[in-house]
Amino acid sequence: MIVPKTPLNEEFRLEALNALDILNTESEKKFDEITSLAAYLCDTEISLISLIDRKRQWFKSTHGLPIRETSRDQSFCAHAILEPTKPFIIEDARTDDRFYNNPLTDIEKLVVFYAGIPLIDTNGFALGTLCVIDSKPKKLSDKQIESLKSLANQVVVLFELNKKNKDLQKMQGSLKKRNESLKEFARVISHDLKMPLANVITTSDLLKLKLANSMDKETLEYFDYIKQSSFSMSDYINGVLDHYESDNLVQNKSEIFRFNNLIREITELLSIKEDFTINFPESNTFLNCNKSAIKQIFFNLIGNSIKYNDKEHIIITIENSEDDSFYYFGIKDNGIGIPKDKTEIIFELFTTASDTDRSGNKGNGIGLSTVKKLIENLGGFIKVSSVVGQGTTFDFSIKK
């Protein structure tokens, strides 16, 4: 027996092999199908996807062989990678000096016929082979050899796809951790800002009251501006908190409740003072879903229908229906409407369709992003249709 030589590029080859992160991984159907097909096409007892490690050959897939690795010194595949551009075919290993007294041939009598196609990566490194083995002498036709070459190419493609998928998973994991850190940062900062902001509002009210008799009109306007800006910042902070806490909100368990009753709760929370009409669904149906999430969704949508409305009399119509898989909801208003070129971007974070709302305040572009995020996390979808000057309709679904 002749121990196979070590390739001149061995360290680089091993580095390329280890970079695939495939050694010692579990069997996979997509590779097992290739070895099964190779054995069938070549009419052999055994087929292997063999990778040549530093001191062993390890089998990613085995057909007809119960073991997963053998010594590299005894490996036929370790000889095959020495000439990576050629098929390595031994018709009868018993008559070949390289394999005389090789335990795989002489004692166990597993390998008498061997044909291996080197697995060459994109950088030209021979990682191992796709090989077929039989316990009796054999010859392969040109078509069988070409078929083995094609299958070997597919093995390399699968290796590279596996590597890309693992890299993507690692990247996703890293992005997830970064996103969690950003969410925690936003939560902490938002909470820490709320108290000082409340102090600004309270202090400005106290100063305004204390100096009421000595202030001119311009000074009073400055105080009003401070208070208005503080409330806008408070709304912004609350919006950020709602957005980043929406992931926790969707974890709430489903509960049974009447839909119209929930809408009444929301309108009371909004403390609506303007001339306002809300048309409820005819039937006060029972829903069995995430009440907290639905409440947050309608709180934002109804609030927007009121804020972005230029009519003297605000009219909002709400509808709901269901089938075996989804609850469906609609909310229509007679507000200012959304320009067609902005209907695609209104669900993006920090994006608004209008410069100012009914009170002249600028929106923060968080509410609709939170709504979309909640709906999609609940297995649904949302769409918008609008006519400028006439109103807007949001239709969305929630999976049961």
Side-chain angles (χ1 to χ4, degrees):
M1 183 184 84
I2 299 174
V3 175
K5 295 179 181 179
T6 301
L8 294 175
N9 62 358
E10 178 69 356
E11 293 304 318
F12 294 106
R13 188 193 69 79
L14 288 172
E15 186 177 337
L17 174 60
N18 290 323
L20 289 174
D21 196 21
I22 201 166
L23 290 171
N24 302 317
T25 55
E26 297 293 328
S27 297
E28 296 179 62
K29 184 180 179 182
K30 56 192 175 186
F31 292 106
D32 292 342
E33 287 175 344
I34 289 178
T35 51
S36 177
L37 181 57
Y40 173 77
L41 290 172
C42 297
D43 191 24
T44 58
E45 299 162 344
I46 296 170
S47 177
L48 308 170
I49 294 174
S50 173
L51 299 172
I52 306 303
D53 204 356
R54 190 176 295 275
K55 293 184 178 181
R56 60 173 180 160
Q57 62 172 350
W58 179 83
F59 308 130
K60 174 59 183 173
S61 176
T62 65
H63 176 86
L65 189 68
I67 59 176
R68 293 298 299 273
E69 65 178 70
T70 66
S71 168
R72 180 170 175 172
D73 288 346
Q74 301 169 3
S75 169
F76 281 57
C77 298
H79 286 279
I81 66 170
L82 297 175
E83 295 186 83
T85 60
K86 301 177 182 178
F88 186 73
I89 300 174
I90 306 296
E91 294 179 358
D92 189 342
R94 297 169 300 183
T95 62
D96 192 302
D97 291 341
R98 288 169 294 186
F99 307 106
Y100 180 74
N101 287 335
N102 186 313
L104 298 177
T105 299
D106 189 51
I107 300 173
E108 300 178 21
K109 299 192 184 302
L110 286 173
V111 188
V112 173
F113 168 79
Y114 173 94
I117 307 297
L119 302 172
I120 312 300
D121 73 1
T122 52
N123 295 312
F125 295 116
L127 309 172
T129 71
L130 170 65
C131 63
V132 290
I133 296 168
D134 210 285
S135 60
K136 55 186 179 294
K138 193 176 187 66
K139 288 186 177 182
L140 295 183
S141 68
D142 290 341
K143 285 186 177 180
Q144 287 173 316
I145 293 172
E146 289 303 314
S147 296
L148 271 183
K149 287 181 179 179
S150 297
L151 290 175
N153 289 336
Q154 290 307 305
V155 171
V156 174
V157 169
L158 288 176
F159 282 166
E160 292 171 351
L161 285 175
N162 264 13
K163 179 65 167 60
K164 289 178 180 178
N165 287 336
K166 287 181 179 180
D167 289 344
L168 284 174
Q169 288 172 2
K170 289 178 182 178
M171 188 180 297
Q172 287 174 345
S174 176
L175 289 174
K176 186 177 180 181
K177 287 181 181 179
R178 185 177 296 180
N179 188 45
E180 290 298 323
S181 297
L182 286 173
K183 286 167 65 174
E184 181 61 17
F185 176 77
R187 187 189 68 79
V188 171
I189 292 297
S190 298
H191 276 294
D192 288 350
L193 285 174
K194 289 183 77 173
M195 185 55 70
L197 195 58
N199 290 337
V200 169
I201 295 171
T202 303
T203 303
S204 64
D205 282 342
L206 288 173
L207 281 173
K208 184 178 178 182
L209 183 64
K210 186 174 182 178
L211 302 174
N213 296 327
S214 59
M215 290 190 297
D216 56 20
K217 182 179 179 181
E218 185 178 2
T219 305
L220 285 170
E221 288 177 352
Y222 281 133
F223 272 102
D224 289 339
Y225 178 73
I226 291 172
K227 190 170 183 178
Q228 180 182 335
S229 298
S230 298
F231 276 121
S232 295
M233 179 61 73
S234 180
D235 288 342
Y236 184 84
I237 291 171
N238 288 332
V240 169
L241 285 172
D242 288 342
H243 183 80
Y244 284 111
E245 290 176 358
S246 62
D247 288 338
N248 296 327
L249 196 61
V250 297
Q251 303 301 320
N252 290 356
K253 293 183 178 179
S254 296
E255 54 185 298
I256 299 173
F257 60 95
R258 285 190 179 274
F259 179 60
N260 287 5
N261 294 357
L262 177 67
I263 300 301
R264 288 191 180 92
E265 289 178 26
I266 294 169
T267 55
E268 289 173 5
L269 284 172
L270 289 168
S271 301
I272 300 164
K273 297 178 181 179
E274 291 89 357
D275 193 3
F276 174 82
T277 296
I278 183 164
N279 298 314
F280 291 85
E282 292 183 6
S283 176
N284 189 10
T285 57
F286 280 103
L287 304 184
N288 185 5
C289 59
N290 189 326
K291 182 180 179 180
S292 299
I294 296 293
K295 188 173 185 178
Q296 184 66 49
I297 291 167
F298 272 100
F299 186 87
N300 278 295
L301 292 177
I302 294 174
N304 278 357
S305 291
I306 295 168
K307 286 195 297 184
Y308 297 100
N309 199 307
D310 56 352
K311 310 300 187 297
E312 290 186 9
H313 187 87
I314 297 172
I315 301 174
I316 296 176
T317 301
I318 295 176
E319 298 177 346
N320 82 290
S321 60
E322 62 181 287
D323 59 23
D324 292 339
S325 302
F326 290 90
Y327 291 113
Y328 299 97
F329 304 95
I331 174 168
K332 180 180 180 180
D333 63 49
N334 64 336
I336 62 177
I338 301 170
K340 189 174 182 180
D341 62 337
K342 291 187 176 182
T343 55
E344 296 296 324
I345 63 170
I346 58 170
F347 295 110
E348 296 177 9
L349 192 60
F350 306 125
T351 300
T352 58
S354 177
D355 292 334
T356 57
D357 62 18
R358 185 181 182 89
S359 302
N361 299 317
K362 183 173 177 60
N364 52 45
I366 300 176
L368 286 179
S369 175
T370 303
V371 164
K372 185 174 186 288
K373 187 178 180 184
L374 280 169
I375 289 170
E376 290 181 347
N377 285 340
L378 291 170
F381 61 90
I382 184 168
K383 63 179 181 178
V384 59
S385 57
S386 186
V387 177
V388 174
Q390 296 183 29
T392 300
T393 300
F394 287 95
D395 293 296
F396 68 94
S397 65
I398 298 294
K399 194 171 184 179
K400 286 187 174 179

